[in-house]
């Protein structure tokens, strides 16, 4: 089994939304067969995003930004949230699941994630095919005894950014 090439936490590749959506099955498929725990964050120009957590034991979690996890901005209207709910996304909650999410452990669920993500990006986030998206992928170190939720909380981007800001304040 090969390893997927990752960008690293600090680096991103840029693509059009159209290209990102077209290549999403390949990206998720590569992540799903990789023996590592991987994260992909796909951020749009307005700061909203979709992201993916893939564990080597087959768990794939797709997320769409929620109003709980975007700071002071409003990511989604009530109508947008209703569309996500109707599509089958699970509602966000404080703690390890602050975004709209869908979990899968098999190939059919992975294909469902691709379709749901496509719809969420184009219809709910209203990204045009020609818009740009920044995609960052990286490996998350996970010890066997660690619980998945604990690892996911510490790997969240907003959490990492907060730690970076605290470290900068201490250094400055």
């Amino acid at each position: 089994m090969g390893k997927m090439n990752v960008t690293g936490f600090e680096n991103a590749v840029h693509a059009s939304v159209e290209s990102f959506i077209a290549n999403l099955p390949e990206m998720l498929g590569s992540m799903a067969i990789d023996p590592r725990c991987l994260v992909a964050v796909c951020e749009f120009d307005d700061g909203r995003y979709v992201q993916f957590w893939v564990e080597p034991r087959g768990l794939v979690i797709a997320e769409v930004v929620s109003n709980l996890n975007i700071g002071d901005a409003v990511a989604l209207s009530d109508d947008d949230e209703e569309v996500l709910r109707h599509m089958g996304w699970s509602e966000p909650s404080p703690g390890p699941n602050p975004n709209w999410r869908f979990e899968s452990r098999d190939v059919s669920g992975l294909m469902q994630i691709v379709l749901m993500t496509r719809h969420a990006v184009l219809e709910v986030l209203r990204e045009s095919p020609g818009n740009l998206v920044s995609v960052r992928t990286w490996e998350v170190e996970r010890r066997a005894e660690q619980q998945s939720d604990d690892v996911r909380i510490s790997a969240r981007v907003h959490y990492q950014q907060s730690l970076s800001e605290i470290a900068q304040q201490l250094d400055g």
Side-chain angles (χ1 to χ4, degrees):
M1 217 180 314
K3 289 187 175 182
M4 180 178 136
N5 187 27
V6 295
T7 66
F9 182 82
E10 298 291 332
N11 300 312
V13 295
H14 304 280
S16 68
V17 167
E18 180 177 43
S19 177
F20 163 67
I21 294 297
N23 290 298
L24 186 58
E26 182 180 355
M27 181 183 85
L28 291 177
S30 294
M31 290 174 74
I33 63 171
D34 194 292
R36 301 170 293 175
C37 184
L38 298 175
V39 174
V41 175
C42 312
E43 188 173 0
F44 306 100
D45 285 341
D46 61 6
R48 299 187 300 174
Y49 59 88
V50 294
Q51 63 186 18
F52 308 93
W53 173 275
V54 183
E55 294 186 5
R57 293 188 267 331
L59 175 64
V60 179
I61 302 173
E63 297 184 359
V64 176
V65 66
S66 79
N67 294 342
L68 286 179
N69 202 30
I70 193 131
D72 295 332
V74 175
L76 305 168
S77 69
D78 291 343
D79 289 341
D80 294 334
E81 291 180 323
E82 186 56 38
V83 169
L84 290 173
R85 203 174 284 113
H86 180 72
M87 290 171 50
W89 293 92
S90 297
E91 296 208 27
S93 60
N97 301 309
N99 290 317
W100 292 89
R101 73 190 178 292
F102 184 83
E103 297 182 14
S104 167
R105 292 190 177 274
D106 58 27
V107 174
S108 66
L110 191 63
M111 293 315 299
Q112 185 69 21
I113 285 174
V114 169
L115 295 173
M116 291 171 69
T117 300
R118 180 185 186 282
H119 187 77
V121 168
L122 297 175
E123 305 301 323
V124 175
L125 300 179
R126 294 175 193 78
E127 291 293 329
S128 297
N131 289 359
L132 289 181
V133 59
S134 298
V135 179
R136 294 183 291 147
T137 54
W138 66 92
E139 177 182 1
V140 174
E141 294 294 328
R142 179 174 178 192
R143 295 183 310 277
E145 72 275 5
Q146 287 181 294
Q147 296 295 319
S148 181
D149 283 350
D150 293 337
V151 178
R152 286 178 49 233
I153 288 171
S154 67
R156 287 206 174 274
V157 172
H158 69 87
Y159 178 83
Q160 293 293 339
Q161 289 173 336
S162 296
L163 289 179
S164 295
E165 290 168 5
I166 292 169
Q168 288 175 350
Q169 289 174 355
L170 292 174
D171 291 341

